[in-house]
Amino acid sequence: MVNIIEYKNFKSLGENKDKKQIILTHTSRYINDYLQSLKYRHNGDYNKIPNYVIGRDGKILQLLGNEDYSQIFKKPEIDNKSIIISLENLGWVQKEPLTNHYVNWIGDIYNGEVFERKWRDYYFWQPYTKEQIDSLVKLCNKIFEETTIQNQFIGHNTKITDFHKYEGLLTRSNYDVSFTDVSPAFNFEDFIKKIENE
């Protein structure tokens, strides 16, 4: 069973029953800051809203319904046919000189373990949690059961061609090299095993 908390304080730009993709992204900030930015940015008229957000504790928040869409990509041919799941994660972080901590792109302090791998000009990444991945597996399988989205996954985070033709699960970084979500800290092998065995 999937425990989903409805957090529907947001408006969609429209509905489309014929979704083709689930796209994984991350918040690039802590979840409370992320939700506040979605709510108050542009005087409450911000329209880059994911359908779901999964916290580091594994809690799933539903911001929009599965048929709803917003403008995450600002490209209707992607936005209208996608369900967006955003994982709470700072993404890339950098070591602060003469300190024991890291900071993200807006200066949030991070004191935890980092995943090290050079990718897209960055070296250090906040790991995703086991609780997040377990919740993501359950949520994706639920979406596969309730929609016509095919249960298949690209299985990596590098750019692909013809992404608009793919039906199934992708990451935002599959669309363009300017995106770093999901990061190399995401364990694709583990996720694929879990989603196949769920």
Side-chain angles (χ1 to χ4, degrees):
M1 183 175 166
V2 186
N3 186 20
I4 297 173
I5 301 164
E6 290 196 5
Y7 194 84
K8 295 185 178 179
N9 299 332
F10 302 98
K11 290 183 252 173
S12 72
L13 293 179
E15 290 185 359
N16 180 15
K17 293 181 181 179
D18 190 29
K19 298 288 182 94
K20 300 292 183 194
Q21 297 178 341
I22 297 171
I23 302 175
L24 303 181
T25 71
H26 61 225
T27 60
S28 296
R29 59 183 72 193
Y30 292 111
I31 193 167
N32 290 335
D33 296 334
Y34 180 69
L35 293 171
Q36 290 298 311
S37 73
L38 295 182
K39 189 173 181 182
Y40 295 112
R41 192 180 289 178
H42 300 283
N43 293 320
D45 200 25
Y46 191 60
N47 54 22
K48 292 176 79 172
I49 312 296
N51 299 79
Y52 298 92
V53 178
I54 302 178
R56 296 186 66 73
D57 57 4
K59 285 183 184 164
I60 303 170
L61 303 179
Q62 183 173 15
L63 280 55
L64 299 174
N66 286 346
E67 295 178 1
D68 295 327
Y69 62 85
S70 67
Q71 284 188 322
I72 297 284
F73 286 86
K74 295 193 174 179
K75 294 182 178 178
E77 66 275 14
I78 301 171
D79 292 321
N80 298 0
K81 67 175 185 177
S82 304
I83 294 175
I84 308 295
I85 302 174
S86 192
L87 301 167
E88 180 187 7
N89 189 277
L90 299 181
W92 61 267
V93 292
Q94 59 188 20
K95 185 84 170 78
E96 276 287 270
L98 307 174
T99 71
N100 291 325
H101 64 259
Y102 298 82
V103 294
N104 71 346
W105 65 286
I106 52 174
D108 291 329
I109 294 173
Y110 175 64
N111 289 313
E113 296 292 317
V114 294
F115 180 86
E116 292 185 40
R117 178 175 298 158
K118 183 176 190 252
W119 186 66
R120 296 191 177 170
D121 295 327
Y122 301 104
Y123 293 89
F124 304 112
W125 309 89
Q126 183 183 35
Y128 299 90
T129 68
K130 179 187 181 304
E131 291 82 5
Q132 280 183 305
I133 301 306
D134 291 345
S135 291
L136 178 62
V137 166
K138 290 176 183 169
L139 178 58
C140 287
N141 280 332
K142 183 178 189 326
I143 293 170
F144 290 139
E145 287 172 14
E146 294 177 354
T147 68
T148 57
I149 298 173
Q150 293 186 31
N151 186 346
Q152 57 187 9
F153 184 35
I154 290 288
H156 59 74
N157 60 355
T158 55
K159 185 180 183 303
I160 61 169
T161 55
D162 295 331
F163 53 78
H164 56 285
K165 294 180 184 175
Y166 184 80
E167 296 188 17
L169 180 62
L170 301 102
T171 71
R172 184 155 62 168
S173 53
N174 291 139
Y175 280 83
D176 195 281
V177 295
S178 64
F179 297 125
T180 58
D181 49 346
V182 296
S183 80
F186 190 93
N187 188 328
F188 288 91
E189 256 183 59
D190 183 50
F191 176 74
I192 291 168
K193 282 179 192 165
K194 285 182 176 180
I195 208 161
E196 287 173 348
N197 295 325
E198 174 69 20

